Amino acid sequence: MSLDDPAATRLSLLLRVRDLSDAVAWQDFVECYTPGIFQWCCRFGLQESDAADATQLVLMKLVNELREFEYSPQRGRFRAWLMTVTRNVTLDLMRSWKERAKGGSSEFQFDPLSQQDPAEQLLKEVEQAWQMELLRRASASVELRVKATTWQAWHLTSNENIAAPIVADRLQMPVA
């Protein structure tokens, strides 16, 4: 199941994983959320092997966090919270690498030619992903509230960069 799927969060599953002895619930949770967590780790700049490690760290952190987790739709979506947890684990992992690199460890070395600190790059990518998610949510909300042709006109001019007179002609509507 994709984390982009609005139906991906099952509230009953979130309640069941509070019980650490419910192996079936945890298996369902891991199967449902691991692919998305892994994708986020990759989007945040980790290589696949590092993303796999970070995914495991996120899941270990969730074991503790979900015991007390209270889902509240007013505070936001579960997937947004999960993305924040994933981002924080990824940042912590990258910070630990940076600290080891500063200490002279040969276990991990940053590319000296790199122009940007990996943690800063990760923060930029996380912020960009969050902004895209906010835009997607806002767009979906607005689309429900406007006429279909108005929405289509906005989409064609804003997203596809087609000139307003051409869009107006295509949709048989005034340019204004």
Side-chain angles (χ1 to χ4, degrees), residues 17-121:
V17 294
R18 287 178 162 190
D19 178 5
L20 294 179
S21 66
D22 190 341
V24 174
W26 274 101
Q27 182 177 350
D28 288 350
F29 184 88
V30 168
E31 287 175 5
C32 181
Y33 291 101
T34 297
I37 293 169
F38 178 82
Q39 270 184 340
W40 282 334
C41 290
C42 289
R43 284 185 199 161
F44 296 156
L46 297 180
Q47 297 176 13
E48 286 191 11
S49 60
D50 296 327
D53 292 342
T55 299
Q56 292 304 310
L57 291 171
V58 170
L59 291 171
M60 289 180 355
K61 184 173 183 87
L62 292 175
V63 168
N64 290 324
E65 297 284 331
L66 288 174
R67 279 194 275 185
E68 311 261 330
F69 183 78
E70 292 286 335
Y71 177 70
S72 172
Q74 295 81 9
R75 293 180 59 204
R77 291 184 167 172
F78 172 75
R79 288 182 312 283
W81 176 80
L82 183 57
M83 187 165 105
T84 300
V85 170
T86 303
R87 180 198 68 206
N88 291 340
V89 167
T90 304
L91 283 172
D92 290 344
L93 185 61
M94 293 179 86
R95 282 186 194 111
S96 73
W97 293 340
K98 187 174 181 178
E99 289 303 312
R100 279 189 279 173
K102 282 182 183 177
S105 169
S106 61
E107 189 176 330
F108 179 80
Q109 295 293 323
F110 284 102
D111 178 4
L113 301 176
S114 175
Q115 294 292 324
Q116 188 167 17
D117 179 7
E120 289 176 24
Q121 178 64 26

Side-chain angles (χ1 to χ4, degrees), residues 108-149:
F108 179 80
Q109 295 293 323
F110 284 102
D111 178 4
L113 301 176
S114 175
Q115 294 292 324
Q116 188 167 17
D117 179 7
E120 289 176 24
Q121 178 64 26
L122 176 61
L123 284 172
K124 285 171 88 175
E125 290 176 17
V126 168
E127 180 63 26
Q128 184 178 23
W130 179 245
Q131 293 297 326
M132 292 303 294
E133 174 64 12
L134 288 177
L135 177 61
R136 185 191 65 74
R137 289 179 188 186
S139 294
S141 177
V142 171
E143 184 177 9
L144 296 172
R145 295 183 173 117
V146 299
K147 292 180 183 176
T149 54

